[in-house]
Amino acid sequence: MSKSRWWESAVFYQIYPRSFLDSNGDGEGDLAGITSRLSHVSDLGADAIWLSPFYTSPNHDGGYDVADPRDVDPRHGTLADAKILFDTAHQLGLKILVDVVPNHFSDEHVWFKAALKSPKGSPERARFHFLDGKTPTTPPNNWISLFGGSAWTQVDDGQWYLHLFDSSQPDLNWESEDIKTDFEKTLRFWIDLGADGFRIDVAHGLVKENITQDHYDPQGLSNALRLDVEMSAEARGKLLASVPFFDRDGVHEIYRHWRTIFDSYDREIMAVAEAWVHPPERATLYVRPDELQQVFNFDLLVARFDDREIFDCIDRTLTLIGGVGANPTWALSNHDTPRLVSRMGEKQARAMALFTYGLPGAAYIFQGQELGLPDADLLDSDRQDPAFFRTNGVQKGRDGARIPLPWKGENSPFGFTTGKPWLPIPQEWATKTFEKQSGDGSSSLEMYRELLKFRKGLNPTTSLSRTVDNLTWTERPNGSGLIAYKRGNTEIILNTSDSAIELERTGEIVFSSELSAVNSAQSASSDNSTSRKIVLSPLTAIWVVG
Ligand code: ISL
C-alpha cells in the first residue's frame, strides 16, 4: 500500500499546551481544553497540530524538562485525555505531531536520580555525561549553557554533569544503548497511541565531541562561549555553528535509525528536526531520503522585513532543500522567538503571512499568530523562563511569546481559565480575542482563514507541491522593496517599502493583506486592454490571479 505524503504541503498549527485553554481552573492549559477547542484549528484550515510537551515534568523549562516521556503531567491531564485528544483530532481530519526531547531529561527522571545515587564510572552515570573536573573546583571544560552560566553542575562526590540548557536538564549520552532503546520505546509508544509524527527538540545537539577540552571560538567572538550576552541572531548562529556540541555528523546515524522505525508502520509517520545549523547547507543533511522528512527553516523566523533578506532566505531554501529532493518548511514564529507582530509590526506581519504561506512546502503557524498577538510586556516578577534567571535578567527570556490565548469576553483572562493564568494576559488584548475577531473581515483571524483557503487552491494535490519547481520569481529585489513569485496562474507580490509601488498586471487582485482588504489595493482598469494598473500600498502583499 502506498502511503500518503500528507505532510508535504500541510499547515501545522503549533499548540503550546500550557497556554491554549484551561479546562479545570488551575491557571494552566490542559489536554481536555485543547480537545474542546480543536474545532478552532480545523476551522482555521490547518491540517495538523504540533503539540509542545505535555509529559510529566517539574516544569522548569515549560515541560522541555521531561521526567517521564511516556506519561502525561497531571497539570495537563492523563494518558486517557491524550487518547481522546488524538481521536478527536483525527475525526476532525487533523494529523498529530508530538514533541520528542532527546537531548536531555529532567533531573527528576528516575534514571538521573539513580545516577546521582550511583558511584563514578557506574552504568547509571554512563547514560548522562558525568566527568571529573579539571581541578576539584573547575568544571571539565568551558562550555556555557544556552540559558547562561556554565554548562556543568557539580554533584556531591565532586563529579560534574553536562547540561546545555538548565541545570535541571542533564544531557543524555547517546553512546549509551539504554538511551537508544528507551527513545525507540518512546517513539513507538506515541505512534501506537495515534501520533502521526514528531517534532524533534534540539535535533542537532545529541552528539558531543571533545567533551574533555575547552572550546575556543575560531571567529574570535569570545575566548569562551558567551551565550549569556545579548547578540544578534546572526552572530549567535555563527557562534553556535562552531561549537563541538551541535550539528556533529554523528547525529545523522540516530535519525537514519529512527526513520526505519517510522517506516515500519503501515501509515506515514514523519518527523521535523529542530536544528539550528549554520551554514544553511548543513540543514539539507537532516532531510536526505533515508533521514527525516522535514527540517525547520529558521532563517525566516529571524529575518527582518526586508526584500533582499526575505528573497535570499526563500530562494536559498528552495534551492538547497529542493536540491536534495526534500520539501521546505516555513515558520514565522514559535514559542522560543519574539512574536511576528512584535518582530516586524502589525502591517508587516500580515503581509509576511500572505507572502510566506503561498510558498510550496509545509507551513507552520504558532498559536495566537492567527490572532495577530504581539509579545506581552511582563513584570520581571512574573517571568518564568530559566534563561531570564540564569542570565541574571540580561536576557528577558521567552515568556512574552507564551502568554495564554485570549478567547472571549471583555476582561482578562478572556475565557482562558476560571482561575489565575500562569502568565498574566494583558487587558489591552480585549480587542484581540478570538470572539471579537471572528466574523470581522478586517481581523487577523479572518485574514488567516481566508489565506489558508487560498493556499489550498495552490496546493490542490500533494503531488503539485512535491517539488519546488513550480515556483518562478517574477520580481527579484532591485532596491524598490518589491519581490514576487508565481505559482500556476497565481502571482504573490510583496512591497516591503514605505512607498506605494505601481505595477502593470493582467490579472485580478483576489486577496490583500491590507486591513481594508481588496478595496484599498487599488486596481483600476485604465482602458479596455488586458493590462491594468495596480497600486500596491506600502508594507503590503497581494495575490493576483490570471
Ligand atoms: O541552538 C539554538 C540557537 O542557535 C537554540 O535556539 C536551541 O536550538 C533552542 O533553544 C532549542 O529549543 C528547544 O529546546 C529547549 C527549550 O527550552 C525550547 O523551548 C525548545 O524549543 C530545551 O529543551
Side-chain angles (χ1 to χ4, degrees):
M1 190 183 76
S2 89
K3 301 181 194 175
S4 108
R5 291 159 62 95
W6 58 266
W7 41 269
E8 287 189 319
S9 57
V11 175
F12 293 80
Y13 183 90
Q14 180 191 354
I15 294 182
Y16 194 69
R18 293 182 90 180
S19 296
F20 191 78
L21 183 65
D22 174 21
S23 74
N24 64 359
D26 68 357
E28 282 202 55
D30 44 45
L31 299 185
I34 297 171
T35 304
S36 71
R37 277 303 151 75
L38 272 181
S39 54
H40 166 58
V41 183
S42 54
D43 290 350
L44 187 66
D47 306 292
I49 52 171
W50 148 28
L51 293 162
S52 279
F54 48 84
Y55 320 115
T56 316
S57 165
N59 206 19
H60 294 308
D61 182 25
Y64 282 95
D65 46 327
V66 180
D68 182 348
R70 297 184 288 276
D71 204 352
V72 174
D73 194 280
R75 291 173 302 117
H76 294 309
T78 62
L79 268 178
D81 292 332
K83 179 72 184 142
I84 296 171
L85 194 173
F86 286 14
D87 290 347
T88 311
H90 284 151
Q91 280 155 20
L92 289 168
L94 297 168
K95 303 278 188 193
I96 302 144
L97 295 198
V98 296
D99 230 299
V100 59
V101 189
N103 183 66
H104 43 264
F105 277 156
S106 153
D107 59 355
E108 292 194 10
H109 190 286
V110 282
W111 280 1
F112 190 72
K113 289 190 195 162
L116 288 183
K117 285 196 210 122
S118 304
K120 287 184 187 183
S122 60
E124 286 81 358
R125 287 212 173 171
R127 294 171 180 146
F128 301 88
H129 295 286
F130 276 90
L131 289 180
D132 290 332
K134 273 194 253 176
T135 72
T137 52
T138 328
N141 68 27
N142 68 348
W143 296 359
I144 297 280
S145 149
L146 266 81
F147 291 162
S150 171
W152 297 92
T153 291
Q154 195 164 27
V155 299
D156 287 349
D157 64 11
Q159 278 211 305
W160 304 73
Y161 69 87
L162 176 71
H163 52 86
L164 294 183
F165 295 90
D166 190 47
S167 56
S168 66
Q169 294 167 295
D171 277 53
L172 299 173
N173 178 3
W174 273 85
E175 283 176 20
S176 152
E177 286 306 317
D178 284 353
I179 295 299
K180 292 180 192 160
T181 314
D182 193 66
F183 272 87
E184 177 157 354
K185 216 167 142 184
T186 297
L187 297 173
R188 289 191 185 281
F189 179 87
W190 292 107
I191 299 171
D192 293 342
L193 200 81
D196 303 287
F198 300 90
R199 176 262 190 189
I200 305 172
D201 190 60
V202 200
H204 56 317
L206 277 43
V207 171
K208 279 84 180 170
E209 290 176 359
N210 304 331
I211 197 165
T212 55
Q213 293 165 28
D214 280 352
H215 174 68
Y216 292 95
D217 170 25
Q219 297 171 75
L221 288 170
S222 59
N223 68 352
L225 297 174
R226 293 301 310 277
L227 297 169
D228 52 342
V229 295
E230 287 289 3
M231 62 173 81
S232 74
E234 200 189 345
R236 191 178 159 95
K238 287 201 176 126
L239 176 57
L240 285 168
S242 67
V243 298
F245 49 76
F246 277 159
D247 198 28
R248 302 294 98 188
D249 289 336
V251 298
H252 297 290
E253 196 186 315
I254 299 168
Y255 301 129
R256 274 192 206 107
H257 175 60
W258 284 17
R259 180 59 182 267
T260 65
I261 299 173
F262 302 158
D263 287 351
S264 71
Y265 285 81
D266 60 8
R267 66 186 204 279
E268 176 88 352
I269 305 294
M270 58 80 66
V272 55
E274 189 225 13
W276 292 79
V277 296
H278 192 88
E281 286 76 4
R282 296 286 305 178
T284 62
L285 302 177
Y286 292 78
V287 286
R288 287 174 288 187
D290 61 346
E291 257 182 78
L292 307 173
Q293 289 87 340
Q294 294 180 348
V295 58
F296 278 124
N297 169 349
F298 287 119
D299 292 352
L300 268 196
L301 202 79
V302 296
R304 288 172 307 138
F305 191 69
D306 172 85
D307 51 341
R308 164 66 62 187
E309 209 168 314
I310 297 167
F311 171 85
D312 284 349
C313 163
I314 295 173
D315 194 46
R316 187 172 59 230
T317 304
L318 293 171
T319 309
L320 291 177
I321 299 289
V324 292
N327 256 41
T329 62
W330 309 104
L332 296 173
S333 62
N334 67 23
H335 65 293
D336 288 335
T337 49
R339 281 194 174 275
L340 188 59
V341 164
S342 299
R343 180 155 64 88
M344 297 190 159
E346 203 167 340
K347 238 183 147 207
Q348 293 89 330
R350 292 173 66 105
M352 196 63 195
L354 246 77
F355 195 69
T356 306
Y357 294 136
L359 291 165
Y364 281 80
I365 296 175
F366 176 43
Q367 69 176 37
Q369 186 186 321
E370 78 282 20
L371 298 178
L373 298 180
D375 277 2
D377 280 332
L378 286 167
L379 297 174
D380 284 353
S381 53
D382 284 325
R383 294 189 191 279
Q384 307 216 8
D385 188 345
F388 173 74
F389 298 103
R390 291 186 60 89
T391 61
N392 293 319
V394 173
Q395 283 181 25
K396 287 294 178 197
R398 303 157 295 178
D399 295 313
R402 299 174 174 181
I403 306 295
L405 292 185
W407 289 102
K408 59 180 184 193
E410 297 301 324
N411 295 309
S412 176
F414 305 113
F416 165 72
T417 179
T418 54
K420 181 174 182 282
W422 70 281
L423 286 175
I425 311 179
Q427 180 55 38
E428 306 87 80
W429 287 11
T431 55
K432 299 191 182 300
T433 61
F434 169 79
E435 182 181 57
K436 280 270 163 64
Q437 296 198 34
S438 274
D440 170 359
S442 68
S443 72
S444 176
L445 173 62
E446 292 299 344
M447 186 197 82
Y448 269 82
R449 285 182 172 156
E450 192 85 346
L451 174 56
L452 297 191
K453 260 188 225 143
F454 273 111
R455 182 188 152 84
K456 284 222 156 61
L458 284 181
N459 302 303
T461 63
T462 49
S463 58
L464 182 69
S465 62
R466 182 156 305 167
T467 67
V468 293
D469 314 338
N470 67 344
L471 178 146
T472 320
W473 288 106
T474 46
E475 302 282 352
R476 290 166 181 265
N478 63 8
S480 68
L482 184 71
I483 45 174
Y485 60 86
K486 201 158 188 185
R487 295 184 65 201
N489 66 349
T490 305
E491 188 183 12
I492 302 181
I493 311 174
L494 176 66
N495 176 7
T496 61
S497 80
D498 290 329
S499 319
I501 297 179
E502 277 195 19
L503 299 166
E504 292 280 331
R505 288 295 185 273
T506 50
E508 291 280 349
I509 298 174
V510 295
F511 191 29
S512 163
S513 65
E514 268 207 294
L515 288 170
S516 45
V518 177
N519 307 343
S520 55
Q522 300 150 28
S523 168
S525 193
S526 41
D527 51 42
N528 281 340
S529 75
T530 48
S531 189
R532 61 186 74 218
K533 194 173 82 182
I534 288 175
V535 181
L536 179 57
S537 304
L539 315 179
T540 297
I542 52 173
W543 287 41
V544 177
V545 173

